[in-house]
Amino acid sequence: MIILAIETSCDETAVAIVEFKKNKTKVLANIISSQVKAHSKYGGVVPALAARMHLKNMVPVLRRAFKQAGKHTPSASQPTPLKRGIRCIASQSVSLKRGIHFDKNKIDYVAVTKGPGLIPALVIGVSAAKALAYSLNKPLVGVNHLEGHIYANWLTEFEKSIKSKVYKVSKDCKVENDFKLWKPEFPILCLTVSGGHTQLVLMKKDLNYKIIGETVDDAAGEAFDKVAKLLKFSYPGGPLIEKMAKKGDRNKFKFTRPMINSKDYNFSFSGLKTAVLYEVCGFCDRKDEAVPRLYGNQYKADISASFQQAVIDVLISKTVRAAKKHKVKNVILGGGVSANKELQKQLKEVINKEIPNTKYQIPISNLSTDNALMIAIAAYYNIINNKNIKSWKNVKADANLKLR
Ligand code: KG4
Ligand code: ZN
């Protein structure tokens, strides 16, 4: 089964083409076009700009994905230059330089992120997916973005016996070619930490989600981005805070750990962000009048390390408590913040120490932040469980789509 998946929920235009076979999953293409530079000067994602850039990038990213897929599955007979144009129309195949082309009729399903996310951004991906599904006469699978972050963990167990080339599909997105899908033991607890969400999700079986805790205000990634802005770092702030934190003292500032002792599994990060604001800007009546003190790099490093540790402490405390209570077999991470190596390391240490029988797993590199490969994997599980397989007419973007 070959799935073409599209992701445009925020500021990445992404397309993946994945072949799912019985014992092997082959990533034929995984392209991500990031808009980070464009949004960076505004200190965050501007929805209308994101939409315009998705519109500009959608077809080039699709073309690049077809080109990449063509390298893995070149059609048996390469067309002559004369036939090439005809084939393009007749069999919907893409002809590219050096005769590499991918036959789009090999696609069995089109999948797309239908929500949650920025609606101007989502509609571009959904429209492109509808057009593809219509023109290829294939079903369309609408996928929840958060389900994608969870299922990014299923692409695992790289098949070492199959000699596979590591190919670079874009500057920051390296993916090996052949994988086995994870066959986990349930229950699973997933900590999804992204720019828009912070959730603890309990799964008793595939596609079965119970949100047992979530943020009551800012998401963890949002707090990283806002603190970074305060320190005059560019967007997205998470990776830069992580980098600066390495040079800083995590005990220098005793920032609050909001809700760490609450009995539920909910989170709150806005108070922590304000605590950092007060430290950096000094106490002031109006936040908009606050002028950051002009401290040097060591100060910024100490703030970064102390803030990052406060976030990590809260995330680990709630996750491990929930894992114990629900006696889960696996704890997994998902979402952009899960790329944070310090969070990964400390969570692993605490799990090994306190619940050694629980396994711990993170997405393979580059699958923590937004991508379309995770959408293809989530779509695959929807398809084999006969869920969300629709006609292009019946798939709509939904900015507030809930995970259920
Ligand atoms: O999942 P994602 O790519 O997009 C959303 O669905 O929101 O997550 C993006 C978020 C941003 O807030 C970014 O600052 C954060 O993930 N992030 C990180 C790291 N890498 C990305 N936060 C902390 N440490 C990182 N290494
Ligand atoms: Zn995301």
Side-chain angles (χ1 to χ4, degrees), residues 253-281:
F253 300 100
K254 297 268 170 278
F255 291 131
T256 173
R257 270 83 172 139
M259 295 182 75
I260 198 162
N261 294 317
S262 70
K263 292 208 171 75
D264 54 28
Y265 300 114
N266 288 335
F267 303 91
S268 162
F269 293 104
S270 84
L272 170 59
K273 176 195 69 192
T274 308
V276 179
L277 174 85
Y278 284 158
E279 169 48 45
V280 176
C281 301

Side-chain angles (χ1 to χ4, degrees), residues 177-207:
N177 200 359
D178 297 303
F179 295 85
K180 271 188 171 177
L181 290 176
W182 190 34
K183 293 200 177 79
E185 270 189 278
F186 291 92
I188 294 174
L189 180 68
C190 181
L191 172 65
T192 309
V193 265
S194 69
H197 294 85
T198 300
Q199 290 186 337
L200 272 170
V201 181
L202 186 66
M203 289 176 74
K204 295 204 168 149
K205 58 181 181 172
D206 267 321
L207 308 181

